[in-house]
Amino acid sequence: MTQPTPVARFYRVIDQARPPQRADRSAAGTLPTRASRYCDAVTAAAGFGWWVFPPMDVSLLWDGEQVYWTWDGADRWLPLDSALFPHLRDRFDAAAPAFLHGAAPPFLTALPEPGTVQVWTGLFARTAPGWSLLVRPPANLFLSSGFTAYEGIVETDRWFGPLFTNIRLTRTGSAVRLHADRPLLQAQPLPRAAYDEATLGAMTLVGEPAAFTAEDWTDYGRSIATPAADPDRPFGRYATEARRRRKSGCPFAA
């Protein structure tokens, strides 16, 4: 039986980099129990995509002007401009063709915006034709403080290169640590049609309840009013039905 083409393929360039991991619907067990059991909207978002990790433990320090970095075993803080992952240059050049010798991507780069750092995960990424990757902070997983991560959509079916994220340090004078065993970002597959202008322009507004159709009112009653009036209704009805639809493979299953 022919295997389907993967929608995403990750390439490990830094040996120590942890492989991407399917994102967990319980957000690594951090979601409240009630959310995990009854809120399919939250768990579906948490489990959509793959977690991607930093390739090593690293600490960053911003004094308001300059960003510094260090790692376990280093004896001092180093001012950050652009830094290669330790010992990567020789390993990269040994694998790359001659015309790419010296072209290993930097691990950390201080960007012109104050307190902003580009962090490479040690991975490259490629997607199937017509698919992109949304690179964003892990959904519904709140493990880190001291920085925020930007979101970006990369057309990885057309552009092949390092999978990185840009973070903005939000405090000064106190070290911010990135952990190799904690997700730094979540990579989510998006069909390009989902965010093109034709799709995003195809939005309308129903401006008042008087303009609702009979179908709209019927659907509202089925979703909200009728279940709310049933004193014996089960908890998590939406979550139960959503799980059943996923198992059946039919998005329109009742």
Side-chain angles (χ1 to χ4, degrees), residues 22-45:
R22 175 68 189 274
D24 176 32
R25 291 176 64 90
S26 73
T30 64
L31 287 181
T33 301
R34 199 161 63 90
S36 295
R37 289 191 63 184
Y38 302 129
C39 190
D40 191 77
V42 169
T43 58

Side-chain angles (χ1 to χ4, degrees), residues 146 182 187 235:
R182 296 184 187 177
F235 289 113

Side-chain angles (χ1 to χ4, degrees), residues 3-180:
Q3 294 295 317
T5 302
V7 70
R9 177 174 281 119
F10 298 96
Y11 301 74
R12 184 162 59 182
V13 180
I14 294 177
D15 294 347
Q16 296 94 322
R18 182 171 178 168
Q21 178 181 328
R22 175 68 189 274
D24 176 32
R25 291 176 64 90
S26 73
T30 64
L31 287 181
T33 301
R34 199 161 63 90
S36 295
R37 289 191 63 184
Y38 302 129
C39 190
D40 191 77
V42 169
T43 58
F48 175 34
W50 305 275
W51 285 338
V52 183
F53 304 81
M56 65 182 289
D57 291 346
V58 63
S59 294
L60 301 169
L61 180 65
W62 180 37
D63 66 5
E65 295 184 6
Q66 172 71 50
V67 176
Y68 298 84
W69 76 296
T70 192
W71 64 96
D72 293 344
D75 59 359
R76 56 196 169 98
W77 288 91
L78 301 173
L80 179 61
D81 180 14
S82 181
L84 282 174
F85 190 85
H87 313 299
L88 176 64
R89 185 189 303 274
D90 290 342
R91 293 199 303 271
F92 184 89
D93 288 352
F99 76 95
L100 288 174
H101 287 181
F107 169 40
L108 299 171
T109 303
L111 300 180
E113 295 74 20
T116 304
V117 179
Q118 186 174 97
V119 183
W120 178 37
T121 61
L123 305 173
F124 288 6
R126 191 191 296 278
T127 45
W131 287 83
S132 301
L133 285 180
L134 169 61
V135 179
R136 51 153 300 162
N140 299 328
L141 180 64
F142 310 103
L143 294 178
S144 300
S145 62
F147 72 92
T148 59
Y150 289 90
E151 298 191 19
I153 297 175
V154 186
E155 295 187 347
T156 37
D157 62 337
R158 302 172 174 176
W159 185 87
F160 181 63
L163 182 64
F164 60 81
T165 188
N166 296 329
I167 66 172
R168 182 171 62 87
L169 304 177
T170 57
R171 66 188 186 210
T172 59
S174 178
V176 172
R177 190 162 178 85
L178 307 181
H179 298 268

